[in-house]
Amino acid sequence: MRILVVEDTEDLADAIVHRLRKLGYAVDWAPTGDEAEELLRQEAYQLVLLDIMLPGVDGQTLLNRLRQRRDATPVLVMTARSQVNVRVDLLDLGADDFIVKPFDLRELEARCRALLRRSHGLASSRTQFGNLVFDAAAKKVLIDARPVDLGGREFRLLELFLSNLNTVLSKEDLMDRLFSLDQPTALNAIELYVSRLRRKLEGASVEIRTVRGLGYVAEVCAEG
């Protein structure tokens, strides 16, 4: 999942980016509202973490402009202002959630999971697909109750497929969502990750098929 962090405090931004990348997310960073606005017009994100007090265009204006052009990307506001009226104003502007600074990165991670899950219509972090159980909160995958050892990017790749069942995803789609702008990679890297994931999912009710000339599609089939 591709996440944009909009935060002008470099130490905090670095901590957030490092944490989320370690979990396998593709994360870009914008230290100003102007840079964030440019990225949001050029790139597709599944989540925006937005500071309010920013140099140039402030976070509130950025959020307002995002919603005015009918961009429904989930936005988690990070703010040091905890007053109720501030939170109400932000929610009315179109924020999906907020977290008050200073915060524990574990809470931020949980709120990110919740917003990403909600945007894909999933009610719980733990979801079952035939004999495969995907637990986003525990970062676990089970096949017939047997744990499957997945690396961070393999885990996110599976999450992408499960969130888009029966939908063909091109290699470009997968690359855009798995790698940040400062992590250039080749399309054959996607082939490698898909191949590894397929091997690890042997015996699962979820099958990843190649659609020649188009990409890949995940489908739930009859159990093993």
Side-chain angles (χ1 to χ4, degrees), residues 1 7 42-43 99 110 117 120-121 125 139 141 168 174 203 221:
M1 304 295 176
E7 169 60 60
Q42 295 176 351
E43 306 291 333
I99 189 169
R117 185 175 70 239
H120 288 102
S125 285
K139 304 176 192 66
V141 174
V168 176
L174 296 173
C221 54

Side-chain angles (χ1 to χ4, degrees), residues 15-27 139 151-153 155-156 183:
I16 294 171
V17 170
H18 178 75
R19 175 84 175 203
L20 294 178
R21 284 185 177 177
K22 190 175 180 181
L23 295 171
Y25 293 109
V27 187
K139 304 176 192 66
R153 197 156 275 147
F155 188 85
R156 294 305 163 200
Q183 295 175 317

Side-chain angles (χ1 to χ4, degrees), residues 8 21 41 44-45 55 60 76 89 126 129-130 149 157-158 167 188 215 219-220:
D8 64 324
R21 284 185 177 177
R41 289 184 180 277
Y45 292 96
Q60 191 165 327
L76 171 61
D89 289 344
R126 184 181 173 94
F129 304 86
D149 183 23
L157 178 59
L158 177 58
T167 299
N188 59 6
E219 299 169 333
V220 177

